[in-house]
Structures are given as structure tokens and as C-alpha cells.
Amino acid sequence: MMDSDTGASTAALLGSDEPPPVELVNTGGHCSAVLVCDHASNRVPRQLGTLGLAAVQLADHIGWDPGAADVARRLSTLLDAPLVLSSYSRLVIDCNRPLRSAGSIAEQSDGVTVPGNCGLSPLERERRINALYRPYHDAIDRLLDGRTRRPSLLLSIHSFTPVLKGRARPWHIGVSHWRDRRLAALMLEALTRSGEFTVGDNAPYPIDADVDYTIPVHGEGRGLPSVMIEIRQDGIQTAAGAAAWAARLAESYRLIEAEALRLLRSSFSVSSSPDPS
Ligand SMILES: [Zn+2]
């Protein structure tokens, strides 16, 4: 929750003419799917300059998930699903990292040193947490809390670089889960049905509560079936590509929705809840 101290810190980092830390789209959407996009933007608060990086570095996959927001917005429209997007670069503070993780405010990403993140004072760290991280997660909490008359299944939409550390990645799309694999298994089956695509099963990234925040906390932490969708960036770099993947995801979701909703009524016991920070 925002308190007056938080408000003051937010004002200190973001100029009044800069976008708010979180963007809400179609919050009254009727679909059971709730969409979130942790790495939607590569914007950096003006006060932080470029974090010491070249524009081309900020535009690269280390700064954000290129194409992910485009797919998420289209999917929100196709499914009539609410969507929450982060408005600032993951390099300022990563909304999908626990605050205790080294990647929360990364000093290095994919071999690139981020000068603006090196040797930060606890105060500066706190400023970013209060200005960007907390408002984003509070918005997801409020949205999910407010859906008292509708079931919610959580889908986080990401994208991944086609080549990492010199290695080409074979998957067109990946479906990842934390301890509860049930929703991921349904999505995986739906996406592989046509035989056209190589679909990663918990790849390229498995979910780990030491590294990931959104699915462990807002998904499983709430007892919601949840899944992380990762789309390879070369497939969504054009509007046509993003539209095609959004359509495939919408079709897959519709195919499995009834069965996915039954998951809400069946039990999956979570032995211990994650410690978010
Ligand atoms: Zn991402």
C-alpha cells in the first residue's frame, strides 16, 4: 500500500510529466485470465539518465522484453482480460525478482555492466523500490483482490532473446511453472497441438522463487493456477508477428479454459509459502 512516505519517494524519482510506474488495461475484463507484463518497457526515469548505458544496450533484451507488451495488449483485447504492465526498465528495478535477489537491481546483465546500478546506497535502492516495484505489485494485488466474483488464472507474458551467450535457442515459445505444473501442462498441450511450434516445457526459464517473484507470489502464493509464457523475440518483432502469437495464445487459452477453471476447485497443496523479500 502507498503511504505518504512512499508517495514522497515516488515524487522524488519520477517527474510529474513521466508515466506512472504501472499501467492498467481493461481492469474490468471478464475473462478468467489475468495478464501481467513485468518487463513491458525499457523506459528509465529521467533522473537516472541512461543508467550509463548506450541507447542500443537499453533497447536490447537486457533492458526489457521486446514485443511482450504488444502481445500482452493484443491478448488482453482478444480475451477481454485485464492486464497490468510495468512502465519502467527491468534494469532500474526488476519487477520479477525478489528484492533479496542479486538481479533485483542488476549491476551486470548478460555480460554488460550497468554503471548506474553499481554501488547504490540503501536509500537509492529504497527509492526505486518505493517508486516502481511496490506500486506495480500493489496494483496486481488490488486487481486480484477486487475480482471477488470472478475466478482468476494468472498468466505472465515475457519474451526471450533468440541467441544467448552464442547459443541459438530452439523454442518458439516456452511455458513455465513453479511447483504447480497443472496450468502449464494444459497450455503446453494446447500450444503443441498443431505440431507447428517447438514449445519449451519449463524452458528457456524454469521458475525459481529465489529468482522469480510474480508467479510464486501472485500466482501460487494466492493459490491461483499460474503460468509464465515466454515468446522468442524474433517471432514478435513486427506487429503482424505479435498479432499472430496473441491469436495463438488466445485460441489456446479458450481451448483449455474450462479445464483450467476446474483446477481452481481441485487442490494443490503448497507446503510452504514463498518469502517475497
Ligand atoms: Zn521477462
Side-chain angles (χ1 to χ4, degrees):
M1 279 282 138
M2 296 264 287
D3 56 25
S4 55
D5 287 348
T6 304
S9 299
T10 305
L13 182 62
L14 298 180
S16 59
D17 59 336
E18 290 184 282
V22 52
E23 182 186 348
L24 298 166
V25 174
N26 192 25
T27 49
H30 285 79
C31 186
S32 58
V34 172
L35 310 176
V36 296
C37 196
D38 301 327
H39 301 146
S41 173
N42 65 345
R43 178 181 282 270
V44 175
R46 189 189 308 117
Q47 220 183 94
L48 302 181
T50 63
L51 295 171
L53 296 172
V56 66
Q57 292 172 310
L58 272 177
D60 198 9
H61 72 98
I62 63 169
W64 61 324
D65 285 359
D70 192 2
V71 173
R73 288 178 201 281
R74 292 169 189 275
L75 188 56
S76 164
T77 301
L78 290 171
L79 290 176
D80 186 24
L83 164 65
V84 182
L85 307 105
S86 164
S87 305
Y88 288 84
S89 172
R90 63 186 301 176
L91 292 176
V92 181
I93 185 162
D94 193 325
C95 286
N96 189 35
R97 297 281 174 266
L99 294 174
R100 64 175 183 275
S101 122
S104 169
I105 299 177
E107 295 192 358
Q108 274 221 341
S109 182
D110 195 15
V112 175
T113 297
V114 186
N117 290 352
C118 295
L120 285 194
S121 68
L123 196 67
E124 175 58 19
R125 202 168 279 274
E126 201 58 32
R127 217 160 66 107
R128 296 191 193 182
I129 294 168
N130 289 335
L132 305 175
Y133 189 86
R134 293 227 158 90
Y136 178 69
H137 291 294
D138 287 350
I140 298 174
D141 273 332
R142 275 195 301 274
L143 175 67
L144 291 170
D145 285 346
R147 285 170 58 92
T148 50
R149 293 186 192 164
R150 292 186 192 115
S152 297
L153 307 178
L154 185 68
L155 281 75
S156 72
I157 309 295
H158 292 260
S159 72
F160 65 94
T161 183
V163 178
L164 189 70
K165 301 188 195 324
R167 284 197 165 176
R169 299 157 116 189
W171 316 278
H172 296 97
I173 189 167
V175 180
S176 298
H177 59 87
W178 189 33
R179 297 172 300 187
D180 179 358
R181 184 172 188 274
R182 298 172 304 163
L183 179 58
L186 292 173
M187 279 302 285
L188 194 72
E189 193 195 326
L191 286 164
T192 48
R193 199 167 290 190
S194 73
E196 276 180 88
F197 304 107
T198 303
V199 185
D201 180 357
N202 231 14
Y205 301 106
I207 295 179
D208 176 338
D210 288 331
V211 177
D212 296 273
Y213 186 89
T214 296
I215 295 294
V217 172
H218 297 298
E220 273 193 47
R222 283 177 170 264
L224 303 181
S226 48
V227 72
M228 178 168 80
I229 304 286
E230 289 269 3
I231 310 161
R232 203 174 67 199
Q233 284 154 13
D234 56 337
I236 52 176
Q237 62 196 359
T238 63
W245 272 112
R248 285 175 202 126
L249 285 168
E251 189 191 341
S252 298
Y253 189 79
R254 288 192 193 104
L255 272 173
I256 63 146
E257 184 177 18
E259 204 170 335
L261 288 172
R262 282 196 281 276
L263 298 177
L264 277 168
R265 295 188 287 275
S266 62
S267 61
F268 168 76
S269 60
V270 175
S271 52
S272 63
S273 47
D275 171 10
S277 56

